[in-house]
Amino acid sequence: EGDLVIVDYIGYLADGRVFDSSSSPGRKPLAIQIGKNTVIPGLEEAVLGMQQGGQRIVIVPPALGYGERGVCLGDAGSDCLVPPNSVIEYDLTLRRVSPSPI
């Protein structure tokens, strides 16, 4: 609880399309402070127990991902990066773990 982890990631939709990646231009690794709900629950759960340098492929169900809202610019279902109720997959590499300062 409270540790800061730095994670490289690639996010895929069920059809294999990449919807986000830390190696895309203008993107950077995720900084996640465990227990602060700064990312979807499926990602936070996935990094628990990982070792620095470890890799993991995770399948995230809608309930632990973006759920009914998805990631859409307009109304749900239109112009969506991640459509509502999507199962998504992440390839993760844990780059660094920093203990909580408290």
Side-chain angles (χ1 to χ4, degrees), residues 1-100:
E1 187 83 12
D3 286 356
L4 180 68
V5 297
I6 307 299
V7 180
D8 281 328
Y9 66 93
I10 304 172
Y12 300 92
L13 298 175
D15 64 6
R17 285 184 292 150
V18 173
F19 69 86
D20 196 10
S21 173
S22 59
S23 63
S24 294
R27 303 295 292 165
K28 57 186 179 181
L30 280 175
I32 304 168
Q33 189 168 14
I34 302 300
K36 299 296 182 181
N37 301 318
T38 58
V39 296
I40 60 172
L43 279 181
E44 188 164 322
E45 272 187 34
V47 299
L48 295 176
M50 287 181 75
Q51 300 287 327
Q52 188 165 304
Q55 297 179 320
R56 187 171 282 176
I57 296 173
V58 292
I59 307 297
V60 180
L64 295 176
Y66 297 103
E68 292 179 0
R69 72 184 186 284
V71 179
C72 304
L73 298 175
D75 295 332
S78 68
D79 219 8
C80 294
L81 185 60
V82 177
N85 297 310
S86 291
V87 173
I88 52 179
E89 178 180 310
Y90 282 97
D91 290 351
L92 304 174
T93 302
L94 187 70
R95 293 290 176 207
R96 187 170 50 238
V97 177
S98 300
S100 173

